[in-house]
Amino acid sequence: MRLTFPVLTLSKGGAQRMLAELTNRLTEIGHEVIVIMPGGSPVEYEMKCPIIFSSTNELSEYDFPYGDIIISNYHTTVPVAQRASEQGKGIHIRLAFCYEPTFLPDNNQSFASYNVTRNLFVLSRWQQEIVRMNHGIKGRIVPIGVNPDFSNMHLRDGPRLNPIISAIMRKPEGGFSDHREQDYLLQQLDRVKELNPEVEIYILTPPQEYAESGILQTLLAGGRYQVRTPANDTELCYHYNECDIFVSSSTYDTGSLPGLEAMRCGAALATVYAGGNLEYCVHGHNCLMSYRYENRLAEDVSMLIRDKDLRRRLADKGEQDSQRFSWERSTQIFQTELFEVMSRQGGVR
């Protein structure tokens, strides 16, 4: 198949990671994949397919090559992908990494974008149901995966004086991190420190975002937290392995990849219900999960600090359960669904 992906950015992030993994793996198994991006857009992942940059900072339908399928993602890529499709450049399919209308600006535009094409892929049953209820479209599920570079390095097997708690924070500027409930996260981590003064708390954040964000630098100043800025998967894997407990405060995620990656690396997970994390989280079985209104995250973390047997049992089960999530599996499901859409629609674009 000849596949065109209009992409706004390939900076570090869960959605961008999934784009990079899918396009790279589709390329490796023999498909002709092209990514088109606005001029000057960042590329922070190693890409194995050609990238075509537009001559301007916005994509035009004239930037699209002729192909079999156009795969849009974020809502602002949908109109231009549809126009290109109407020019005969491919069947338009949307791979939605989030449901934007409920938590991002310009929700009138993002809501309307789901009425443009019936061909929709989503990441989880929760996201599938939201779109079905609001738009009458039942999206096909393409699950998230975990890079094989992430594994349990067994750093926790040796003696350790104090438990280590880790969490990820992203740049608040721009309004794209509100669903992560980062103020709540810091409030709960401070409460954990009050209840358990012996623990160490590490905050993981992409180096470029930390350098750019005055808010992050201010929030994390003062020595209460240790800041980690992993530049690649090798460093991120090591930091997941450093911690005994990984904490996630996001309340709205279609996939919630960091929790799954931390599980794969052998950390016990304390998380807030975020919708998509039900694909891999089962409270009391492989993690501790609370609803946001319960305001229980700090207590769950403290329980894992005190009860080492519970922490180890949940961590072991989480690592085991995470094994079924791989990018190879995601790519195979994605490819099968692409073929099915092409078969159903034939040559009609």
Side-chain angles (χ1 to χ4, degrees):
M1 289 183 291
R2 295 169 297 166
L3 308 172
T4 304
F5 288 76
V7 175
L8 298 182
T9 176
L10 284 170
S11 58
K12 296 293 184 182
Q16 293 87 347
R17 174 180 289 280
M18 189 165 185
L19 276 170
E21 293 287 350
L22 291 177
T23 54
N24 284 340
R25 293 173 190 279
L26 288 166
T27 300
E28 289 175 341
I29 60 179
H31 298 289
E32 295 181 34
V33 180
I34 292 177
V35 170
I36 61 172
M37 301 181 70
S41 298
V43 178
E44 296 181 354
Y45 290 95
E46 181 181 349
M47 301 298 291
K48 299 179 180 179
C49 64
I51 299 177
I52 299 175
F53 289 95
S54 172
S55 58
T56 68
N57 59 5
E58 290 188 6
L59 291 175
S60 161
E61 57 268 34
Y62 303 106
D63 295 318
F64 288 67
Y66 284 90
D68 297 307
I69 293 177
I70 297 169
I71 302 162
S72 63
N73 50 87
Y74 190 62
H75 73 93
T76 56
T77 67
V78 171
V80 67
Q82 182 63 22
R83 292 195 298 271
S85 180
E86 291 168 358
Q87 291 183 356
K89 295 183 174 181
I91 298 169
H92 180 198
I93 296 173
R94 181 176 187 175
L95 173 58
F97 296 113
C98 62
Y99 186 67
E100 305 97 325
T102 50
F103 73 107
L104 291 178
D106 302 317
N107 61 347
N108 58 324
Q109 297 175 28
S110 59
F111 186 89
S113 72
Y114 283 86
N115 302 322
V116 170
T117 177
R118 65 176 178 172
N119 301 315
L120 178 70
F121 295 170
V122 296
L123 307 190
S124 61
R125 289 165 290 179
W126 173 77
Q127 182 189 12
Q128 181 187 59
E129 185 62 12
I130 290 174
V131 178
R132 189 198 63 80
M133 287 190 299
N134 286 335
H135 304 277
I137 299 170
K138 186 177 180 180
R140 302 157 185 263
I141 297 175
V142 179
I144 59 175
V146 179
N147 191 303
D149 292 340
F150 291 100
S151 63
N152 189 346
M153 301 165 65
H154 297 284
L155 301 182
R156 306 170 192 86
D157 295 348
R160 177 173 287 178
L161 291 177
N162 300 314
I164 295 174
I165 316 299
S166 290
I168 287 177
M169 289 190 68
R170 303 298 299 271
K171 180 173 71 172
E173 291 90 341
F176 291 96
S177 63
D178 290 348
H179 64 293
R180 299 176 183 276
E181 293 274 2
Q182 295 186 155
D183 290 340
Y184 175 66
L185 173 65
L186 291 182
Q187 177 195 80
Q188 293 296 289
L189 291 177
D190 286 345
R191 177 64 177 154
V192 168
K193 187 70 173 177
E194 290 173 4
L195 295 171
N196 311 274
E198 75 281 7
V199 302
E200 299 178 41
I201 299 175
Y202 294 177
I203 300 295
L204 284 55
T205 187
Q208 189 63 33
E209 292 191 18
Y210 186 69
E212 294 172 350
S213 175
I215 296 176
L216 267 185
Q217 293 172 26
T218 300
L219 286 174
L220 302 180
R224 194 168 185 81
Y225 317 101
Q226 295 190 38
V227 178
R228 298 288 189 266
T229 53
N232 52 48
D233 284 352
T234 300
E235 293 181 13
L236 181 57
C237 175
Y238 180 81
H239 294 318
Y240 281 140
N241 273 274
E242 277 187 309
C243 71
D244 298 284
I245 302 165
F246 185 80
V247 183
S248 176
S249 61
S250 179
T251 54
Y252 198 91
D253 266 330
T254 53
S256 203
L257 186 55
L260 184 61
E261 291 175 337
M263 277 181 167
R264 178 68 59 84
C265 293
L269 177 64
T271 185
V272 172
Y273 166 81
N277 57 0
L278 282 184
E279 295 295 310
Y280 61 85
C281 285
V282 179
H283 174 67
H285 170 75
N286 60 18
C287 70
L288 293 182
M289 175 186 283
S290 59
Y291 287 99
R292 174 64 179 84
Y293 79 88
E294 294 177 299
N295 197 29
R296 204 185 70 212
L297 188 57
E299 283 68 26
D300 282 352
V301 175
S302 295
M303 183 184 302
L304 292 174
I305 292 170
R306 294 190 301 268
D307 191 337
K308 293 182 180 179
D309 290 338
L310 174 64
R311 186 169 79 216
R312 175 48 52 201
R313 178 173 64 80
L314 295 181
D316 289 345
K317 195 60 180 174
E319 183 181 353
Q320 177 182 333
D321 290 347
S322 76
Q323 299 301 320
R324 73 178 189 272
F325 293 89
S326 70
W327 290 121
E328 290 84 0
R329 172 174 172 259
S330 302
T331 303
Q332 286 301 320
I333 292 172
F334 189 43
Q335 177 184 241
T336 298
E337 296 292 359
L338 291 175
F339 278 134
E340 203 285 328
V341 172
M342 284 195 67
S343 174
R344 175 165 52 83
Q345 295 196 212
V348 178
R349 287 167 165 78

